[in-house]
Structure formats: structure tokens, C-alpha cells
Amino acid sequence: MYENLEGVLLRYEDISRELASPGIAQDMDRYRKLTREQADLSPLVSTYQDYKKALADLQDAKDLLSGETDEEMRELAKEEMSAAKEKSDELAGKIRILLIPKDPDDDRSVILEIRAGAGGDEAALFAAEVFRMYTHYAEKKGWKTSVIDSESIGIGGLKFVSFMVEGPGAYGCLKYESGVHRVQRVPETESQGRIHTSTITVAAMPEVEDDIEINIPPEDIRIDITRASGNGGQGVNTTDSAVRLTHYPTGIVIYSQTERSQLQNKNKAFALLRAKLYELEKEKRHDAEADLRRSQIGTGDRSEKIRTYNFPQSRVTDHRIHFTTHNIAGVMNGDLDEIIEALRTADQEAKLLKMDQGQGSI
């Protein structure tokens, strides 16, 4: 482990020297690659340097204690030993977390799809509320949201909505939302006050930018241009601006009509298609690495019931980690940090356990 960390430290120093060289400005691709790698390594390098200092302080205190006869100085040395030991243990824990292999998609923006499931109109109403929940969460994070496509019902519900959340780290936070969300409450349409159970499904996919090659041959795609329908603002419904993409090999069909510009709708549709194709590749890799999938908190199985929103009891329960909060009003208003942090912590603990079983710990 120490040899690996020393290797990381040497690599960080090599990067720093190369970035300081005069010729680096002539190769901007190389410069961007190195700055990204430096930023990724920086937290681990900084923590490891602090850890080495804490170990040195601990050894100094031990040496002082072993050679000291004055009782007052011995007590001081014991206090310094205790503080250094506590500090080194704390930093060792941080290093273990930083050594968890990072999901390269975590820093990306995310595309979310919400679909009403069992429950009819009540499921569609809840889908609309969950959509608002995520948009409020994005606002609190300073992220931008934009709808790609949606299908509404007359009473304010959504049968389906796909939308992008743009911002650094959006996928890393929202990737845990994929799965079945269940709601238990008395529907507005229920006259006898009975509690109903309805479901929606959520899918979270990282936005695929140009740094990932997704090959989509032109002959695999059919592009249809149509007139937008439904709400869209003045001008949207009077021009042929809607775009429908059909991907023949997978059968994926994407419809985008929310923008006035045909080009903007086409770009949104292709962004969603690239994300779906990338997600299919990830699922294939996960299926091939079944052990890895078992070691992770669920982040992709759309058939997995992950969470229940019980309105009569003001309770939200995430079934994967047995986490419960009684702040349903806050959660529906976008206060998701507590749930997401609990999921991230549980995911880290599962991966740390696997690391310890495989190679020991620091």
C-alpha cells in the first residue's frame, strides 16, 4: 500500500514538473489531460503527505518518551503521542476512501427519465412531483435543468418526462435515483379517503460528451422532422421543429420538441441517444462483472424498488440502505442531500469492504 502511495506521489510530482515546462502550452490536449489528472490526484497526495507527517510526529513523540526521565516531560510526550495517533488514524481512514476507484462518470451532467408506472392518474401526478423535486434539488446545487421531452395528462400529471441536469458532479449525486419509486397516500381523486399505492420509474444516465467515443453510423439512424404538439410557447407549435430519432440496431426512439429550433431539438435528441447507448454498454460491462455489481449500492436496475414515500406518516424510506427520514415535505421540495449522502456513504463502505477482502487495508 505504501509503495502504491509513493508511486502516486512521484506521478504527481512528474505532472507538476511537466505542467511547469515552457513547451506544454503548445499542446493544449496534453495540457488539459495533465491538469485533469493532477486535480484527481491532488486530494490523495495532500492527505498522504499529512499522513506521513502525522506518522513522523508519532515517532518523534515515541522517541522522546523512551529517552525521557522527567515525569512532566513524559506526560507531555504521551499527550503528543495520543494526538499524533488520533490524527494518523483519521488520515488513514480518509486515504482508504480516496483510494476507492472513482467512477469516471461522476463529474458529468446527467439525463433523467421519469415514467409513471402502476396507479393510473395518481402515478402520473406523482411523476410530476418527483420531477419538481429533482428540479428544486438542481436549483439548490446551482445546476441547470432543461426538458428534452414530456407527455402530460390533463390534471397536471406526467406520463413521461426526460430532462437534463447540467452541472459538475450531477451524475455522481443523482445516479443512485435509478429504480422504482413507490408512493403511498390518499389521492386527490379518491373520495373515500383510502390510501393507494402507486409507482414510477426513474432512470439516471450520464451525459456523454466528446471525450467518449460513441459510434453511431448514419445508416443506423432515421431522422424525422415533425411539427411540435402540446404546450411549448408561442411559435413552437407553428413550425416543423420537432425531431424524432429512430436507432435501428436497438429500436430506441427519441422525440424532442421542447425547443423552437430544429437544431436544438436535434442536439438534445442525439445527447439522449448517446446517453442511452452508453448506458447499454455500461450494463453489459456490469453483467460481465457480476461481483462488482453486487458490491455496489443499486445505481442502475430500473426494476429495483428503491424508495417509498409514505405521505400519511411523513416518511421516506430508502430500502437499499434501510434509511428513513420523516421530513417528506422537505424531500419533495428538493432537500435530498441527507438521503444522497447516506447512499454515497453506504456505497463507499461496501467498496471499502471489498478492497479490504482483496488486498488488506492501510
Side-chain angles (χ1 to χ4, degrees), residues 73-106:
M73 291 298 295
R74 286 180 62 82
E75 286 301 316
L76 182 61
K78 288 178 182 178
E79 290 177 8
E80 290 178 354
M81 269 183 58
S82 178
K85 179 68 166 62
E86 183 179 347
K87 183 70 172 177
S88 64
D89 288 347
E90 176 189 344
L91 291 167
K94 289 183 179 179
I95 288 172
R96 293 179 70 238
I97 291 173
L98 289 168
L99 283 172
I100 296 173
K102 185 179 178 182
D103 185 340
D105 295 326
D106 278 356

Side-chain angles (χ1 to χ4, degrees), residues 106-158:
D106 278 356
D107 291 333
R108 300 183 185 277
S109 297
V110 63
I111 295 175
L112 293 172
E113 286 188 342
I114 303 173
R115 295 180 182 273
D121 287 351
E122 167 65 4
L125 288 168
F126 186 59
E129 292 179 50
V130 170
F131 169 60
R132 287 192 291 272
M133 177 182 78
Y134 290 137
T135 56
H136 288 322
Y137 177 69
E139 288 172 7
K140 294 174 191 289
K141 292 290 188 181
W143 298 332
K144 176 187 174 184
T145 59
S146 58
V147 174
I148 298 171
D149 188 20
S150 66
E151 183 179 355
S152 61
I153 63 173
I155 58 175
L158 287 169

Side-chain angles (χ1 to χ4, degrees), residues 173-191:
C173 290
L174 291 169
K175 65 181 180 180
Y176 301 108
E177 297 303 295
S178 287
V180 176
H181 296 237
R182 182 176 66 174
V183 59
Q184 295 174 324
R185 65 182 177 186
V186 179
E188 294 179 12
T189 55
E190 170 59 52
S191 59

Side-chain angles (χ1 to χ4, degrees), residues 200-211:
I200 66 168
T201 60
V202 176
M205 299 164 283
E207 182 192 18
V208 181
E209 298 174 349
D210 292 338
D211 59 335

